[in-house]
Amino acid sequence: NKTGFLSLIKEAPITQPIIVCGGVCACIYEARNSTDDLDCECAAEDVEPLADYFDKRGVIADLSENISGWGMIALPPRYREDSPYLQGFDNVRYLSFYVFIVSKLRRGLDRDMADIEPFRGKAPNLDVYVKEAIDASPVSTERFRFLDRVKRWQRPVVENS
């Protein structure tokens, strides 16, 4: 859960701030109660010591110096500077709200869509971030799939009565 990961991070050998994404970020936004892994961006020199640290504690961690490169759709280029610091931590940041939404839409798995479902209709400026992500991404068929997921997610939910 979020508390468990955050207590582990407190003692982790971090030389520069990390940016948490994925399931832990979903927990920070209270879109999910738990996750079984830790996804984050860290300085290149921290990847190996952090991987060792988490591995010794039985934590599955996906670490990279560039989380934007994890998919065919890039994150908006300003994702690093937009990432706020987690309260109580001077070395842990997390994806800003809109970048978090883009990160989930770019992959689009069922669990990603479930993570952002509570925020449907609550992201009025998403198009700005989507455009930045598209502009930073290579031309590919994935762009069309991403834009389709964005469009479907932005549609109002029609409730059956």
Side-chain angles (χ1 to χ4, degrees), residues 20 28 37 50 59 85 88 101 115 126 134 159:
V20 174
I28 291 168
D37 69 341
L50 281 173
V59 174
Y85 281 91
I101 300 292
D115 284 345
L126 183 63
I134 287 294
E159 305 222 4

Side-chain angles (χ1 to χ4, degrees), residues 80-153:
R80 288 183 181 106
E81 52 267 24
D82 279 3
S83 295
Y85 281 91
L86 189 60
Q87 187 174 2
F89 291 82
D90 60 2
N91 62 351
V92 179
R93 301 172 81 166
Y94 58 99
L95 294 179
S96 69
F97 176 72
Y98 285 103
V99 175
F100 167 68
I101 300 292
V102 168
S103 76
K104 292 298 187 171
L105 287 167
R106 75 182 188 154
R107 191 168 70 167
L109 298 177
D110 287 346
R111 71 175 177 253
D112 296 318
M113 303 312 285
D115 284 345
I116 59 175
E117 186 60 31
F119 309 115
R120 186 187 285 257
K122 298 175 183 170
N125 298 319
L126 183 63
D127 288 342
V128 172
Y129 290 82
V130 166
K131 181 179 181 336
E132 289 176 10
I134 287 294
D135 289 348
S137 301
V139 175
S140 70
T141 53
E142 185 57 29
R143 290 172 96 170
F144 303 114
R145 289 189 280 273
F146 171 68
L147 290 172
D148 184 58
R149 284 190 296 273
V150 170
K151 194 182 305 176
R152 282 186 283 122
W153 187 76

Side-chain angles (χ1 to χ4, degrees), residues 5-122:
F5 282 119
L6 296 180
S7 64
L8 276 175
I9 288 171
K10 255 189 182 161
E11 305 301 322
I14 300 170
T15 64
Q16 296 176 42
I18 63 171
I19 301 174
V20 174
C21 57
V24 173
C25 194
C27 293
I28 291 168
Y29 284 111
E30 299 181 359
R32 191 194 293 185
N33 292 325
S34 66
T35 182
D36 58 359
D37 69 341
L38 174 66
D39 304 312
C40 72
E41 179 173 288
C42 59
E45 61 269 17
D46 286 350
V47 171
E48 190 173 346
L50 281 173
D52 185 54
Y53 172 83
F54 290 122
D55 188 52
K56 286 179 178 172
R57 286 152 183 83
V59 174
I60 299 165
D62 290 319
L63 312 169
S64 171
E65 68 175 326
N66 178 11
I67 57 175
S68 185
W70 284 3
M72 290 293 296
I73 303 299
L75 291 176
R78 60 178 162 164
Y79 77 92
R80 288 183 181 106
E81 52 267 24
D82 279 3
S83 295
Y85 281 91
L86 189 60
Q87 187 174 2
F89 291 82
D90 60 2
N91 62 351
V92 179
R93 301 172 81 166
Y94 58 99
L95 294 179
S96 69
F97 176 72
Y98 285 103
V99 175
F100 167 68
I101 300 292
V102 168
S103 76
K104 292 298 187 171
L105 287 167
R106 75 182 188 154
R107 191 168 70 167
L109 298 177
D110 287 346
R111 71 175 177 253
D112 296 318
M113 303 312 285
D115 284 345
I116 59 175
E117 186 60 31
F119 309 115
R120 186 187 285 257
K122 298 175 183 170

